[in-house]
Amino acid sequence: LLDNPPEGVGITRGMQYQFSRCNNDLFENANYATVLFMNNDVFIDERPEGVVEAYRALTSDSTLGAVGVVLFFEDGTVQHAGVEFLQTPELFAVPYHPGTRQSPVHKLGEAFPSSAVTGAFLMTSNDLFGRSGGFDERYGAECQDIDYCLRLRRVGFEIRTMAVGPIYHVEN
């Protein structure tokens, strides 16, 4: 597949991994009004139309800055259902994934506000990503997605997570 990709798919080789820099560099090739950042260890199983549902949600609501989806571990427990921040004094504002390693609580088709979504599946407008400066490259491997979402929220955009079907994130 990599040697003979489908029409419209480009393969970039020889990149040294650094999440923010690699995605910013590849963003320069984006030709559409909406971009989806999706890790290569994310698998869409039974409902590929869930990606289209996320796209429709993003493009039909001008207050929405980014959309993520509920992601599962291979055992069916939740890997990601949005990002929130701890409120306890000793860990105040530390980000976490609510419901991780638990059974899903969100029903298919449900959408809910989140403080941020994971870069493993983050859909946003090409214009917003470009105008914001993309992912902050000072974040080498973690938190650039949270930073991006927080920057969108600071200027008035909402972030939403959607339960669109079984999408698995194997994690590394």
Side-chain angles (χ1 to χ4, degrees):
L1 184 62
L2 291 174
D3 290 333
N4 190 18
E7 184 178 334
V9 173
I11 305 295
T12 303
R13 299 178 191 273
M15 297 183 88
Q16 293 293 86
Y17 179 76
Q18 198 267 17
F19 186 94
S20 299
R21 188 193 68 251
C22 288
N23 280 292
N24 288 341
D25 288 351
L26 291 171
F27 171 74
E28 297 302 318
N29 298 317
N31 296 319
Y32 298 97
T34 303
V35 292
L36 170 60
F37 297 96
M38 188 171 82
N39 285 13
N40 63 353
D41 60 353
V42 170
F43 300 93
I44 300 171
D45 196 15
E46 302 155 22
R47 293 193 75 250
E49 63 270 21
V51 177
V52 175
E53 292 167 13
Y55 169 78
R56 286 185 180 140
L58 180 70
T59 58
S60 67
D61 185 346
S62 63
T63 68
L64 205 49
V67 170
V69 298
V70 175
L71 298 172
F72 297 93
F73 288 112
E74 290 177 284
D75 66 4
T77 61
V78 172
Q79 185 272 334
H80 171 80
V83 173
E84 296 303 333
F85 296 93
L86 294 172
Q87 300 298 311
T88 60
E90 63 277 1
L91 296 173
F92 186 77
V94 171
Y96 75 101
H97 294 271
T100 296
R101 291 280 180 202
Q102 297 175 16
S103 296
V105 297
H106 301 286
K107 305 236 181 299
L108 185 63
E110 185 178 351
F112 49 96
S114 297
S115 294
V117 294
T118 179
F121 187 113
L122 188 154
M123 187 178 291
T124 190
S125 97
N126 184 316
D127 181 60
L128 280 179
F129 193 78
R131 284 191 299 140
S132 75
F135 292 123
D136 188 331
E137 295 182 17
R138 292 176 292 181
Y139 297 101
E142 302 289 336
C143 294
Q144 67 287 325
D145 44 7
I146 295 169
D147 172 71
Y148 175 69
C149 290
L150 291 178
R151 285 186 280 134
L152 291 178
R153 290 182 63 209
R154 258 184 244 123
V155 295
F157 289 99
E158 296 175 23
I159 309 301
R160 192 171 301 151
T161 302
M162 300 178 64
V164 297
I167 298 180
Y168 300 94
H169 185 198
V170 177
E171 284 194 319
N172 301 311

